[in-house]
Amino acid sequence: MDEKEMIQNAIKAREKSYAPYSKFHVGAYLETASGKFYEGCNIENASYGATNCAERTAFFKAVSEGERNFVRIAIVGGGENSDLEVCPPCGICLQVMREFCNPESFEIILGTEDNPEKFLLKDLLPKGFGPDNLK
Ligand code: THU
């Protein structure tokens, strides 16, 4: 699947976003090393801190199904009635990625269908704390 299609699928995942408070809707599309794909959206809560980001929704769905190896994720976000913006993952989501992904190879695709931008996890989270630090 090319990057444009990854973004298109993240846009589809975004349709399920539950964001009545921020009205900022995010979608994610995650590819596993075994060739499966998981959609995620942000899920807000009246108790704001209980909100789950789109990326973590996708990761937790996948991990709960037994997946532990990941190749890439596409992420899109934007306000309810505005154009999509470049939506980089928050620090907590980067930390969750760091748990399961190789920072040297895991790809994070941001941007738009027409202009996808690809980053490595190590670009967005240099010197992250990970499982090896506890060995
Ligand atoms: N959000 C995500 O889903 N992913 C991110 O990485 C950034 C923020 C969501 C959380 C909240 O529902 C809304 O965007 C505004 O912060």
Short mmCIF file of all heavy atoms in Angstrom, two decimals, residues 19 22 24 26 42 44 51-55 87-90 93, ligand 1:
data_model
loop_
_atom_site.label_atom_id
_atom_site.label_comp_id
_atom_site.label_asym_id
_atom_site.label_seq_id
_atom_site.Cartn_x
_atom_site.Cartn_y
_atom_site.Cartn_z
N ALA A 19 -15.05 13.17 19.54
CA ALA A 19 -14.34 14.34 20.07
C ALA A 19 -15.29 15.52 20.27
O ALA A 19 -15.12 16.59 19.68
CB ALA A 19 -13.20 14.71 19.12
N SER A 22 -13.05 18.76 22.31
CA SER A 22 -12.06 19.55 21.56
C SER A 22 -12.55 19.82 20.13
O SER A 22 -12.09 20.76 19.49
CB SER A 22 -10.72 18.80 21.49
OG SER A 22 -10.81 17.71 20.60
N PHE A 24 -11.59 18.30 17.78
CA PHE A 24 -10.41 18.02 16.95
C PHE A 24 -10.40 16.52 16.71
O PHE A 24 -10.24 15.72 17.64
CB PHE A 24 -9.14 18.49 17.68
CG PHE A 24 -7.91 18.43 16.84
CD1 PHE A 24 -7.58 19.50 16.00
CD2 PHE A 24 -7.06 17.33 16.87
CE1 PHE A 24 -6.44 19.46 15.21
CE2 PHE A 24 -5.91 17.28 16.09
CZ PHE A 24 -5.60 18.36 15.27
N VAL A 26 -9.13 12.97 15.06
CA VAL A 26 -7.87 12.35 14.62
C VAL A 26 -8.14 10.91 14.20
O VAL A 26 -8.96 10.21 14.81
CB VAL A 26 -6.83 12.37 15.77
CG1 VAL A 26 -5.48 11.84 15.29
CG2 VAL A 26 -6.66 13.80 16.33
N ASN A 42 -9.46 9.08 17.96
CA ASN A 42 -9.45 9.60 19.33
C ASN A 42 -10.82 9.42 19.97
O ASN A 42 -11.86 9.53 19.30
CB ASN A 42 -8.94 11.05 19.41
CG ASN A 42 -9.69 12.03 18.54
OD1 ASN A 42 -10.26 11.68 17.52
ND2 ASN A 42 -9.71 13.28 18.97
N GLU A 44 -12.74 10.81 23.26
CA GLU A 44 -12.68 11.75 24.39
C GLU A 44 -13.63 11.33 25.51
O GLU A 44 -14.42 10.39 25.37
CB GLU A 44 -13.00 13.17 23.88
CG GLU A 44 -11.94 13.62 22.89
CD GLU A 44 -12.02 15.10 22.53
OE1 GLU A 44 -13.04 15.74 22.79
OE2 GLU A 44 -11.02 15.59 21.95
N THR A 51 -9.28 10.75 28.05
CA THR A 51 -9.25 10.70 26.58
C THR A 51 -8.15 9.79 26.07
O THR A 51 -7.06 9.74 26.63
CB THR A 51 -9.03 12.14 26.05
OG1 THR A 51 -10.21 12.90 26.31
CG2 THR A 51 -8.74 12.15 24.55
N ASN A 52 -8.46 9.07 25.00
CA ASN A 52 -7.44 8.24 24.34
C ASN A 52 -7.20 8.76 22.93
O ASN A 52 -8.14 8.98 22.18
CB ASN A 52 -7.90 6.77 24.29
CG ASN A 52 -6.74 5.81 24.25
OD1 ASN A 52 -5.88 5.84 25.13
ND2 ASN A 52 -6.68 4.98 23.24
N CYS A 53 -5.93 8.92 22.59
CA CYS A 53 -5.57 9.40 21.25
C CYS A 53 -5.80 8.31 20.20
O CYS A 53 -5.79 7.11 20.51
CB CYS A 53 -4.11 9.80 21.20
SG CYS A 53 -3.70 11.31 22.08
N ALA A 54 -5.91 8.75 18.95
CA ALA A 54 -6.13 7.83 17.83
C ALA A 54 -5.01 6.78 17.71
O ALA A 54 -5.27 5.59 17.47
CB ALA A 54 -6.23 8.63 16.53
N GLU A 55 -3.78 7.24 17.86
CA GLU A 55 -2.64 6.33 17.69
C GLU A 55 -2.66 5.24 18.74
O GLU A 55 -2.44 4.06 18.46
CB GLU A 55 -1.32 7.11 17.83
CG GLU A 55 -1.13 8.22 16.84
CD GLU A 55 -1.68 9.56 17.32
OE1 GLU A 55 -2.78 9.59 17.90
OE2 GLU A 55 -1.02 10.57 17.08
N CYS A 87 -0.59 16.50 11.75
CA CYS A 87 -0.94 16.17 13.14
C CYS A 87 0.10 15.22 13.72
O CYS A 87 -0.07 14.00 13.65
CB CYS A 87 -2.34 15.57 13.16
SG CYS A 87 -2.90 15.14 14.82
N PRO A 88 1.17 15.75 14.27
CA PRO A 88 2.20 14.87 14.83
C PRO A 88 1.71 14.19 16.10
O PRO A 88 0.88 14.75 16.82
CB PRO A 88 3.38 15.81 15.15
CG PRO A 88 2.92 17.18 14.89
CD PRO A 88 1.48 17.17 14.47
N PRO A 89 2.18 12.98 16.36
CA PRO A 89 1.74 12.26 17.56
C PRO A 89 2.19 12.97 18.84
O PRO A 89 3.28 13.52 18.89
CB PRO A 89 2.40 10.89 17.44
CG PRO A 89 3.39 10.98 16.35
CD PRO A 89 3.10 12.18 15.53
N CYS A 90 1.35 12.91 19.87
CA CYS A 90 1.72 13.53 21.15
C CYS A 90 2.80 12.70 21.83
O CYS A 90 3.10 11.57 21.43
CB CYS A 90 0.48 13.67 22.04
SG CYS A 90 0.02 12.16 22.91
N CYS A 93 1.80 9.16 22.98
CA CYS A 93 1.70 8.20 21.86
C CYS A 93 3.09 7.80 21.36
O CYS A 93 3.33 6.64 21.02
CB CYS A 93 0.85 8.77 20.74
SG CYS A 93 -0.90 8.88 21.22
N1 THU B 1 -5.06 13.68 19.77
C1 THU B 1 -4.83 12.49 19.15
O1 THU B 1 -5.74 11.69 18.95
N2 THU B 1 -3.55 12.20 18.80
C2 THU B 1 -2.49 13.01 19.03
O2 THU B 1 -1.34 12.59 18.91
C3 THU B 1 -2.73 14.40 19.40
C4 THU B 1 -4.04 14.65 20.07
C5 THU B 1 -6.44 14.00 20.18
C6 THU B 1 -6.65 13.98 21.66
C7 THU B 1 -7.84 14.89 21.81
O3 THU B 1 -9.02 14.13 21.63
C8 THU B 1 -7.71 15.87 20.66
O4 THU B 1 -6.79 15.29 19.75
C9 THU B 1 -7.23 17.25 21.06
O5 THU B 1 -6.07 17.16 21.82
#
